[in-house]
Amino acid sequence: MLEAARWQTHHVSQRDLLVLTEEPLNAETRLDRQRGVITPAGRHYVRTHFPIPIGPTVLELDGARRIELSLAEIRAMPPRTVRVTLECAGNGRRFLEPAVPGEQWGLGAVGTAEWTGVPLARLLEEAGLRPNTAEVLFRGADRGIPKDLDREIAFERSLPIADALREDVMVAYAMNGAPVAREHGGPLRLVVAGWYGMASVKWLAAIALLERPFSGFFQADRYVIDGRPLREIAPRAVIASPAEGAVINGREKAATIEVRGYAWSGAGRIAKVEIIAGPAGASAAETWREATLGEQASPYSWREFSLRTLVAFDYGGPEMDVGLMARATDEAGNAQPLGARWNALGYANNAVHPVRIRIRA
Amino acid sequence: MLEAARWQTHHVSQRDLLVLTEEPLNAETRLDRQRGVITPAGRHYVRTHFPIPIGPTVLELDGARRIELSLAEIRAMPPRTVRVTLECAGNGRRFLEPAVPGEQWGLGAVGTAEWTGVPLARLLEEAGLRPNTAEVLFRGADRGIPKDLDREIAFERSLPIADALREDVMVAYAMNGAPVAREHGGPLRLVVAGWYGMASVKWLAAIALLERPFSGFFQADRYVIDGRPLREIAPRAVIASPAEGAVINGREKAATIEVRGYAWSGAGRIAKVEIIAGPAGASAAETWREATLGEQASPYSWREFSLRTLVAFDYGGPEMDVGLMARATDEAGNAQPLGARWNALGYANNAVHPVRIRIRA
């Protein structure tokens, strides 16, 4: 606990991250400062449930055989590298009405890193699978007493066996070319590409095979909507610039607005991002316009988008409020909803979120 | 100058970089600590000719029109992101015999980053091209007196117009998702994907059109072999592990060696990396074996390679010296030479470099 506290004092600056809570540490990526695909480790959002533990350097695998693999042994296996956008399932919770409990994330509980490790399937091969395996269970070294519980538990999550064997599910030891930092779950962290972040168990300590579905707290009481565990990240586009409340000077009854942001989906590549810019409050007579997309660095990675748009100054007076909206559609055809789908714990709120700015004649 | 010196004291640690010279700053990537594709900014090799200047935030473009573009204006244009392996043309110079003058680089003057910026072609469009343009000239804000010259000059380099217009030649403002750090040429740096690093002018201050080939010091007196300016990076594989002089314990008359490293080429993707492990000094009766390759993150990016190989303990005695060699071939069919091609200034020495280790019974 002391160790965790000391860690925070040294490392976190509001310039690099927007800190929501310090203990446990929860902090957002500053999308306004993000450029390109990769989020540097020191600027990548952090989600923790409990104080940051010292992660183990030995991984227990309870398969057909019970084995232990050291960090050095795992690092010696053929590596796999994938760029992955991780998003917290609670991202955007702050905008739900009526308000729901939980970390009040804005839209920055998301980040993209290059993760290097060994496919989980390869490690399970090492320990051997058992017939009748329904799920694979992962235990992190972090533990504590959740708010609605009266006893200490470890952070534990499972994956159905079919999902666990996907080649892009890996036990990672490197993030952006360097060892995984402590706040990001190092030395060993599970990375489940395409899924909300709760599946990517940090400070990975042990892996076991289960014959029936796991029903632990973080699987059955949290990270569920209508009793169903969350899985793939829903599509979302977030406007990083201009910022809410920005004032832009126009000229000759129009203002040029440079809209920029990021779009991602766990269910497929981003097919398009559409943008509307129009007088705030007016019924949207404007039509959606397609933004220019940056590269899709991997099937699991966000894409940068940008659009330069001219907003005409229709109204009298020297100033006008303008609303900007961005909406993502992935290649599987999933489009972002315009309105929020409220749920009691505030998960997966991927509704289009308007940004209001002001233009001046 | 004071500013440059102060910068160094604060930022460089031998743990992150191998510093060859402090003023000007020249430091190698520690490939032994590198994992995955991306090299974090603080661990990416640094090549400077002069003290690190404060880079300008306005770029002068002398085209059909003479214009200035601010950093903010450049950042507002549609971005392009490319992962690029940059290598100093003098990488490997230390291994040339007889020795040649210049920075005595080992094999770590190489690194891979995600660069985000605006294609140069887009900026040239803004300023307009002129007929009869043969080359585009780039001037950095760094200046000083080179060892063999009696006057102060700026770092200047040119590109033939056809090369300058390639879409992957860009003026970059971000490296790995963050603003380009000062030691890497920020705020604005040219990035010429696929070429040796001297072409990627740092602290970019001005761009101009030329009607005839540029013959400045860094174009005609340096970075040339046999009078020809260097261009694309020659293929190379570097063994990152085991390290030179490592001792590995064997068992039952054999030792398992995990060979790991990086391979790259500026002329095309890496097609294969072959490895030999055999008794040092013995004629290579061994055959080359193909290593497993990691992803090729972009046409200009290095690939990780790895091979687990068993070396038999043929000799009497409790110890045996083993030589390891790795050789890269790119998809254009260029293979790394086994012997060095010596040249007076020691450029482009991409010869296979043996690593000697010792195995113990």
Side-chain angles (χ1 to χ4, degrees):
Chain A
M1 305 274 172
L2 178 62
E3 189 66 27
R6 199 179 330 138
W7 177 88
Q8 291 170 33
T9 320
H10 277 286
H11 290 73
V12 181
S13 133
Q14 288 287 133
R15 205 173 146 272
D16 293 329
L17 287 166
L18 294 172
V19 177
L20 267 63
T21 62
E22 290 200 351
E23 181 72 43
L25 179 63
N26 287 295
E28 293 189 24
T29 301
R30 291 197 52 170
L31 291 175
D32 58 330
R33 299 174 69 92
Q34 168 79 39
R35 297 283 169 156
V37 177
I38 293 294
T39 310
R43 296 171 169 221
H44 188 290
Y45 89 97
V46 177
R47 166 63 170 136
T48 59
H49 299 83
F50 303 123
I52 293 175
I54 294 178
T57 56
V58 171
L59 181 61
E60 293 173 26
L61 281 122
D62 192 1
R65 294 171 292 284
R66 197 187 174 91
I67 63 169
E68 289 190 345
L69 289 173
S70 70
L71 178 58
E73 286 170 318
I74 293 171
R75 286 170 64 118
M77 296 177 178
R80 185 169 176 84
T81 294
V82 189
R83 281 171 299 284
V84 177
T85 294
L86 286 178
E87 182 184 20
C88 179
N91 200 26
R93 181 181 287 134
R94 185 190 299 166
F95 305 112
L96 283 176
E97 290 177 9
V100 294
E103 304 305 327
Q104 295 300 301
W105 297 108
L107 290 168
V110 62
T112 301
E114 175 199 288
W115 295 94
T116 300
V118 176
L120 175 65
R122 176 75 189 73
L123 300 180
L124 292 178
E125 219 172 78
E126 205 79 16
L129 283 177
R130 278 195 309 261
N132 305 323
T133 298
E135 292 195 342
V136 182
L137 180 66
F138 305 91
R139 195 179 73 233
D142 49 331
R143 43 193 313 125
I145 305 174
K147 210 162 61 174
D148 301 327
L149 217 62
D150 55 0
R151 60 197 164 80
E152 186 176 286
I153 58 170
F155 186 81
E156 289 180 307
R157 292 272 316 175
S158 73
L159 287 175
I161 183 70
D163 297 299
L165 295 177
R166 280 171 47 213
E167 66 173 358
D168 287 324
V169 172
M170 62 159 79
V171 173
Y173 48 75
M175 177 188 187
N176 298 341
V180 179
R182 255 185 84 193
E183 71 273 29
H184 292 301
L188 289 171
R189 169 183 196 163
L190 188 68
V191 173
V192 182
W195 285 38
Y196 283 113
M198 77 279 146
S200 294
V201 176
K202 298 162 81 171
W203 311 290
L204 191 61
I207 298 175
L209 306 181
L210 300 180
E211 292 187 7
R212 60 195 64 216
F214 178 61
S215 61
F217 182 78
F218 291 107
Q219 190 89 14
D221 292 307
R222 289 291 180 275
Y223 300 116
V224 292
I225 294 185
D226 302 333
R228 285 205 315 271
L230 291 165
R231 295 175 48 102
E232 286 86 0
I233 295 172
R236 165 134 62 192
V238 171
I239 294 172
S241 174
E244 178 76 27
V247 177
I248 290 167
N249 290 315
R251 204 189 295 182
E252 293 171 14
K253 301 222 157 206
T256 302
I257 304 171
E258 307 276 1
V259 185
R260 196 181 62 75
Y262 289 87
W264 62 90
S265 168
R269 294 166 196 268
I270 289 297
K272 64 177 174 180
V273 172
E274 296 161 295
I275 292 176
I276 279 188
S283 64
E286 319 291 327
T287 51
W288 293 96
R289 289 182 53 201
E290 278 203 36
T292 302
L293 294 175
E295 69 158 355
Q296 174 105 36
S298 93
Y300 311 105
S301 168
W302 62 17
R303 295 182 84 159
E304 211 164 353
F305 66 81
S306 60
L307 183 74
R308 172 182 289 213
T309 185
L310 198 71
V311 175
F313 218 83
D314 294 334
Y315 289 62
E319 291 189 342
M320 182 174 76
D321 285 339
V322 170
L324 301 172
M325 293 195 284
R327 180 173 66 172
T329 303
D330 66 28
E331 62 180 6
N334 304 303
Q336 231 182 312
L338 292 179
R341 288 173 290 209
W342 189 91
N343 59 93
L345 295 174
Y347 293 122
N349 172 25
N350 69 327
V352 167
H353 180 70
V355 170
R356 274 160 182 268
I357 61 170
R358 175 162 290 190
I359 60 176
R360 272 196 193 131
Chain B
M1 305 276 172
L2 178 63
E3 189 66 26
R6 200 178 331 135
W7 177 87
Q8 291 168 35
T9 319
H10 277 284
H11 289 72
V12 180
S13 133
Q14 288 287 133
R15 207 173 143 271
D16 293 329
L17 287 166
L18 295 172
V19 178
L20 268 63
T21 62
E22 289 199 351
E23 182 70 43
L25 179 63
N26 287 296
E28 294 189 24
T29 301
R30 290 196 54 169
L31 291 176
D32 58 329
R33 299 174 70 90
Q34 168 77 38
R35 296 285 169 154
V37 177
I38 292 294
T39 311
R43 295 171 170 221
H44 188 290
Y45 90 97
V46 177
R47 167 61 170 139
T48 60
H49 300 83
F50 303 124
I52 293 175
I54 294 178
T57 55
V58 171
L59 181 61
E60 293 173 25
L61 281 122
D62 193 1
R65 294 171 293 283
R66 198 187 172 91
I67 62 169
E68 290 190 343
L69 289 173
S70 70
L71 177 59
E73 286 170 317
I74 293 171
R75 286 169 64 117
M77 296 176 177
R80 186 169 176 83
T81 294
V82 190
R83 280 172 300 285
V84 177
T85 293
L86 286 177
E87 182 183 19
C88 179
N91 200 25
R93 181 181 286 133
R94 185 190 298 166
F95 305 112
L96 282 176
E97 290 178 10
V100 293
E103 303 306 327
Q104 295 301 301
W105 298 108
L107 291 168
V110 62
T112 301
E114 176 199 286
W115 296 93
T116 299
V118 175
L120 175 66
R122 176 73 187 74
L123 300 181
L124 292 178
E125 219 173 78
E126 205 78 17
L129 282 177
R130 278 196 308 262
N132 306 323
T133 298
E135 293 196 341
V136 182
L137 180 66
F138 305 91
R139 195 179 74 232
D142 49 331
R143 41 192 315 125
I145 306 175
K147 212 162 60 173
D148 301 327
L149 216 63
D150 55 1
R151 61 197 164 80
E152 186 176 287
I153 57 171
F155 186 82
E156 289 180 306
R157 291 272 316 174
S158 74
L159 287 175
I161 184 69
D163 296 300
L165 295 177
R166 281 170 46 213
E167 66 174 357
D168 287 324
V169 172
M170 62 158 79
V171 173
Y173 48 76
M175 177 187 187
N176 298 341
V180 180
R182 254 185 84 194
E183 71 273 29
H184 292 301
L188 289 171
R189 169 183 196 163
L190 188 68
V191 173
V192 182
W195 285 38
Y196 283 112
M198 78 278 145
S200 294
V201 177
K202 297 161 82 171
W203 311 289
L204 190 60
I207 297 176
L209 306 181
L210 300 180
E211 291 186 7
R212 59 195 64 216
F214 178 60
S215 62
F217 181 78
F218 290 107
Q219 190 89 15
D221 292 308
R222 289 291 180 276
Y223 299 116
V224 292
I225 294 185
D226 302 334
R228 286 204 315 272
L230 290 165
R231 293 173 50 100
E232 286 86 1
I233 295 171
R236 164 132 65 192
V238 170
I239 295 172
S241 174
E244 177 77 27
V247 177
I248 291 168
N249 290 314
R251 204 189 296 183
E252 294 172 14
K253 300 224 157 204
T256 301
I257 304 171
E258 306 277 0
V259 186
R260 196 182 62 76
Y262 289 87
W264 61 90
S265 168
R269 293 166 196 268
I270 289 297
K272 63 177 174 181
V273 172
E274 296 161 295
I275 291 176
I276 278 188
S283 63
E286 318 292 327
T287 50
W288 294 95
R289 289 182 55 201
E290 278 202 38
T292 301
L293 295 175
E295 70 159 353
Q296 174 104 37
S298 93
Y300 311 105
S301 168
W302 63 17
R303 295 182 84 158
E304 209 165 355
F305 66 80
S306 60
L307 183 74
R308 173 182 289 213
T309 183
L310 198 70
V311 175
F313 219 84
D314 294 333
Y315 290 62
E319 291 188 341
M320 181 173 75
D321 284 340
V322 171
L324 302 172
M325 294 195 284
R327 180 172 66 171
T329 304
D330 66 28
E331 63 180 4
N334 305 303
Q336 231 181 312
L338 293 179
R341 288 173 291 209
W342 189 92
N343 61 92
L345 295 174
Y347 293 123
N349 172 26
N350 68 327
V352 168
H353 180 71
V355 170
R356 274 161 183 268
I357 62 169
R358 175 161 291 189
I359 60 176
R360 275 199 189 127

